Amino acid sequence: MIIVLFGKPGAGKGTQAPLLAAALGVPTLATGDELRAAIRAGSPLGLEAKSYMDRGDLVPDSVILGIIKQALSEQRNAGGVLLDGVVRTVPQAEGLDKVVVELGKKVEAVLAFDIDDEEIVRRLASRTVCESCQTPYTGREPGTACDKCGGTLIRRKDDEPEAIRNRLEVYDRQTAPVLDWYRSHGTKVAVIDAVGPVQDVTARALGVLAS
Ligand code: AP5
């Protein structure tokens, strides 16, 4: 089972991914988390990605496709994986398709979390994330401890107003067309209302997958 979680920045992909993964019994892969881990480790991948990410631009497709190929060939992902924000351009969708076909698999569904820009700006303005495990929080101060792992909560650099504006523009220009690519290739695309209590959004997503 390979499921793509899709949506604007702040739509709630990172919040929903672990909840859906636990319910479905599959691991998650989030390219944003992988890239931030590489930046913290000071690796060549992190050095290449940092300036793109700080501005809110997309990291080059070649870098993302390298991460996807590596991850999907790992044993822990052999039974399926939930892809959180992994596909953001049409070339990435084409590249992922090639990899899954080579592995004899397919993308089962794309869950597109739907939310308007005003709500996104409100959510990201009050978000902090754990520096270690990347869990997102609302209304918690930077410097306090993560409930899950005890790590320190920080503000993300790309949650500054200018970077948020750029990320939303990048989404409209480069990422939104991916949905039509999947529709035209016969993949199930389900649009999920991403507003409301977190558990309600999870239930909507699981309901769509079961139907
Ligand atoms: P990434 O880390 O993936 O960022 P993003 O897609 O911009 O998404 P976010 O993490 O901002 O939001 P989210 O949808 O996960 O929402 P969250 O659950 O946190 O990527 C960062 C950067 O890495 C990109 O800009 C790019 O540079 C690079 N990158 C990554 N993948 C790439 C790729 N494939 N190609 C190229 N570049 C790539 O929720 C947001 C807030 O809302 C939180 O505070 C949360 O607590 C709250 N919240 C969640 N759900 C609800 C709810 N139902 N009600 C109220 N509040 C809620």
Side-chain angles (χ1 to χ4, degrees), residues 9-190:
K13 304 179 295 294
T15 300
Q16 292 298 326
L19 302 173
L20 293 171
L24 297 168
V26 292
T28 62
L29 169 68
T31 29
D33 291 352
E34 297 283 320
L35 293 167
R36 279 185 292 276
I39 290 172
R40 278 202 309 279
S43 70
L45 170 63
L47 291 177
E48 184 179 357
K50 187 173 184 330
S51 59
Y52 294 98
M53 293 177 75
D54 286 350
R55 285 194 303 271
D57 284 333
L58 295 182
V59 172
D61 290 334
S62 56
V63 172
I64 300 299
L65 288 170
I67 296 174
I68 292 175
K69 271 187 200 152
Q70 167 66 33
L72 291 188
S73 66
E74 287 170 8
Q75 188 53 35
R76 71 189 179 97
N77 293 322
V81 61
L82 210 57
L83 301 177
D84 164 5
V86 169
V87 188
R88 298 190 199 216
T89 65
V90 168
Q92 289 179 19
E94 290 167 346
L96 170 64
D97 192 55
K98 205 164 154 237
V99 175
V100 297
V101 167
E102 278 167 13
L103 293 169
K105 297 178 179 174
K106 68 169 191 160
V107 172
E108 300 285 338
V110 177
L111 302 182
F113 293 101
D114 187 36
I115 178 172
D116 64 35
D117 289 0
E118 211 176 299
E119 171 71 5
I120 283 173
V121 171
R122 211 155 47 80
R123 283 186 184 184
L124 295 184
S126 65
R127 173 169 72 173
T128 46
V129 298
C130 174
E131 195 175 27
S132 304
C133 74
Q134 314 271 335
T135 298
Y137 291 91
T138 300
R140 290 273 300 269
E141 286 302 309
T144 56
C146 172
D147 294 344
K148 273 195 190 160
C149 75
T152 305
L153 303 193
I154 56 160
R155 286 270 302 156
R156 275 172 46 175
K157 202 160 181 183
D158 61 353
D159 280 347
E160 296 303 326
E162 196 177 324
I164 295 175
R165 254 193 311 278
N166 188 39
R167 286 158 74 198
L168 290 171
E169 281 170 22
V170 165
Y171 175 89
D172 287 340
R173 199 171 56 243
Q174 294 180 264
T175 305
V178 171
L179 280 187
D180 278 340
W181 187 91
Y182 275 114
R183 287 190 183 106
S184 68
H185 285 74
T187 304
K188 176 176 178 173
V189 173

